[in-house]
Amino acid sequence: MLFPLDWTLSLIGSVLRLGAGGPGKPAVTPEKPLILYEFENCPFCRIAREAISVTGVPVEVRPCPKGGTRYRPRAIELGGKSMFPYLIDPNTDVAMYESADIARYVRETYAPDAKPFMHRLGPLNLLTSIALVWPRLMRGMMVRPSRQPDQRLEFQGAENSPAARIIREALSTHELAYLWTSHTDGAGLKLKDPNTGETQTGALSILTYLDRTYCQPMTA
Ligand SMILES: N[C@@H](CCC(=O)N[C@@H](CS)C(=O)NCC(=O)O)C(=O)O
């Protein structure tokens, strides 16, 4: 899809969510990044990610799209059932399912004042998160082949950024794990790849880099 159209559809999503999931900085910085098993366009995972985004805690995202074989089986083994999102906090030895519990946990543990307005709206919160699956055409939900990097990538960009959403969909569908921080320190979207030493900034450069480095010729 043409990027401007894609971006516009993603922007509609961010508006629908009333901008939930902006960048934040944690009041308490965790020693180790949290670990989140999830996939893009799962409405429950979105709620968990929005909460994480506003707290600003670093999280290692391990994408588990449907049909995925890289992280999904391990998530099911660890938690005991096939349900996403699933959060592990190695700092406190806490592990949990349930998007609402995850949102509450990260807020109470790392940034007590951070709560997106949308998350205060009861059933509307989940309903609009479900509604957003359609303008995004369910992208990020189903696995597509890719080369597996030896080391996880690093990505900076808030949950509510329309362009960051498109990048996360690519990372999710291709099962590319990444250390995610929502705040960009004003530098815009950034992808660092410790495997190649490359840093890419800006949505189109990042998407092109991911495609060329990890997705071709498998998606050709
Ligand atoms: N009550 C849970 C519901 C989570 C849920 O149903 N997630 C779906 C994905 S949107 C799921 O895990 N489906 C099973 C699967 O993908 O294997 C929550 O709020 O986190």
Side-chain angles (χ1 to χ4, degrees), residues 39 41-45 66 72 82-85 97-100:
F39 55 95
N41 268 310
C42 150
F44 304 97
C45 302
K66 288 182 188 290
R72 211 173 226 266
S82 182
M83 195 161 92
F84 302 91
Y97 288 108
E98 293 301 328
S99 48

Side-chain angles (χ1 to χ4, degrees), residues 34 51-52 55 57 87 102-111:
L34 281 56
I52 289 168
T55 62
V57 280
L87 179 85
I102 293 171
R104 190 177 316 112
Y105 172 79
V106 289
R107 184 171 62 249
E108 287 176 356
T109 314
Y110 295 109

Side-chain angles (χ1 to χ4, degrees), residues 37 62 64 68-81 84 86 88 97:
Y37 291 89
R62 297 182 180 168
C64 301
T69 54
R70 243 172 239 173
Y71 302 107
R72 211 173 226 266
R74 180 71 181 140
I76 296 168
E77 187 184 304
L78 284 169
K81 56 183 170 182
F84 302 91
Y86 180 61
I88 299 174
Y97 288 108

